Amino acid sequence: MFFALDGFLFAGWVVRIPAIKQQTGASASTLGLALLGVSAGAVITMMLTGRLCRRYGSHAVTVACGVLLPLSIALPAQTHSALSLGLVLLVFGAAYGGINVAMNSAAVDLVAALRRPVMPSFHAAFSLGGMVGAGLGGLVAGGLSASTHLFLLSGIGLLVTAFAGPSLLRHRPAPTAVETAGPREPRERLSPRARRIVVLFGVIALCTAYGEGALADWGALHLEQDLGAHPGLAAAGYALFALTMTAGRLTGTLLLERLGQTRTLVLGGATAAAGMLLGSLAPTTWLALAGFAVTGLGLANIFPVAVGRAGELAGPSGVAAASTLGYGGMLLGPPAIGFLADWFSLPVALTTVALLAAAAAALGYVARNATTSAPV
């Protein structure tokens, strides 16, 4: 439920970006700098969240962030300049980054307990929440103000946390072997090789998070501004992306069991690269939507596999490190695409998503032997 809530709230925000852009009077480049606040806030808090998870437990930190995230989502609609928007997005990003590290750490513990590669299923819940949030946003975009919409999302988020939080707090994950090793052998002390592997998977996560962030922040604007789509149809672009990502992640466990980690990463990256080339350069809305759908299918399992492997190696510290690198892609994405859109065009800027997806496929192949405890 917390994975789904995270996706639901994030999608509710991104589909209102065109309205917020108009409200603040921001250009593409200044909007990109303001959107940097989400990723900057997330990256700043991620390593801290890893330490909090080790001290207080991933379940408690998940619930705490489940309160902060809904409270912060109502803030962007109250701003009227790019500067104030960027500042409140720092708060939203901090809550977003915290809940991502905490709930992924909890999920890694559950994956270990189940002894099956079910990490994509948790991320499928995130994508399902994103699909519902974007679909709802598309329905109300024409008749409900951004302020009212985000305020309602805030209330829904608090209700979900109040419902699901107590159940999560009643259960604590069993300590892992590293956690029970004693104070002189803390989890974060990894061998140099293990650190390199965590960084490698973090870079793979970066390449794919760049694509997810680009479609979230710029997809609706591309459809509306460059292809003349209605605001509701433009919002549906991210919903379609989230739908295919959900479908891909629901089958992720089967893919990993049948194809293995390497083939799943390489096939996913190649598929996403082809889909995003179509999505960014297509001359019609419907072809662009088809490209977004293929991109979602390709990116679906890359990020959860990368973060899951880092978590298996280093627990919350590994999740935090890989997530920090991953969301570094979102940190780089909004301003990079904004500036490229001003210098060239938004469609050309979006082709960088295809480039990094191809890079993720290549790194996935490089990582075929880069594990310490499990075959790929």
Side-chain angles (χ1 to χ4, degrees):
M1 291 190 72
F2 281 100
F3 270 89
L5 176 64
D6 189 32
F8 176 77
L9 294 178
F10 186 72
W13 145 245
V14 300
V15 300
R16 301 315 299 245
I17 288 176
I20 300 296
K21 179 179 184 292
Q22 183 178 9
Q23 174 181 303
T24 58
S27 67
S29 57
T30 55
L31 177 63
L33 288 173
L35 293 173
L36 183 65
V38 177
S39 299
V43 170
I44 289 168
T45 59
M46 278 178 171
M47 296 308 295
L48 173 63
T49 305
R51 297 188 187 98
L52 291 174
C53 286
R54 290 194 302 274
R55 182 168 183 178
Y56 300 107
S58 57
H59 291 187
V61 178
T62 298
V63 174
C65 292
V67 174
L68 294 175
L69 186 64
L71 290 176
S72 64
I73 198 174
L75 299 177
Q78 309 305 316
T79 62
H80 298 280
S81 70
L83 176 60
S84 59
L85 176 62
L87 292 174
V88 300
L89 288 180
L90 278 171
V91 180
F92 176 68
Y96 181 73
I99 198 171
N100 270 273
V101 170
M103 68 187 184
N104 273 291
S105 297
V108 166
D109 292 329
L110 288 168
V111 169
L114 292 171
R115 297 183 180 180
R116 290 189 67 208
V118 297
M119 193 67 166
S121 299
F122 293 106
H123 287 258
F126 172 86
S127 298
L128 180 61
M131 180 185 66
V132 174
L136 178 63
L139 289 175
V140 305
L144 205 62
S145 70
S147 179
T148 302
H149 179 203
L150 296 182
F151 180 77
L152 290 173
L153 293 185
S154 181
I156 292 171
L158 291 173
L159 287 174
V160 171
T161 299
F163 174 77
S167 177
L168 197 62
L169 291 173
R170 283 196 297 269
H171 298 85
R172 293 181 60 85
T176 65
V178 181
E179 288 172 331
T180 56
R184 295 185 179 274
E185 299 180 61
R187 176 184 283 274
E188 63 268 27
R189 287 186 181 174
L190 302 175
S191 68
R193 181 168 185 264
R195 289 193 187 96
R196 288 194 296 270
I197 295 170
V198 168
V199 170
L200 176 63
F201 283 108
V203 173
I204 292 173
L206 181 152
C207 291
T208 58
Y210 180 97
E212 290 188 52
L215 280 172
D217 290 346
W218 296 102
L221 197 62
H222 168 56
L223 294 172
E224 187 174 337
Q225 171 184 288
D226 299 317
L227 300 176
H230 182 273
L233 184 59
Y238 183 73
L240 182 61
F241 170 77
L243 172 63
T244 57
M245 182 168 278
T246 302
R249 286 173 171 174
L250 287 172
T251 60
T253 298
L254 181 63
L255 282 175
L256 286 168
E257 290 178 335
R258 294 286 180 86
L259 300 180
Q261 179 178 290
T262 297
R263 291 188 182 92
T264 300
L265 292 175
V266 172
L267 180 62
T271 300
M276 199 57 213
L277 282 176
L278 176 62
S280 58
L281 301 178
T284 67
T285 300
W286 297 108
L287 281 176
L289 288 171
F292 285 6
V294 174
T295 303
L297 202 60
L299 292 180
N301 295 304
I302 302 177
F303 191 92
V305 168
V307 172
R309 285 296 299 130
E312 290 171 22
L313 288 169
S317 295
V319 172
S323 296
T324 302
L325 280 169
Y327 286 101
M330 290 189 180
L331 182 68
L332 172 67
I337 289 178
F339 284 119
L340 287 172
D342 274 351
W343 292 335
F344 302 102
S345 68
L346 184 53
V348 170
L350 288 173
T351 61
T352 57
V353 175
L355 179 64
L356 288 185
L363 290 173
Y365 182 76
V366 170
R368 65 192 183 279
N369 296 318
T371 58
T372 60
S373 61
V376 295

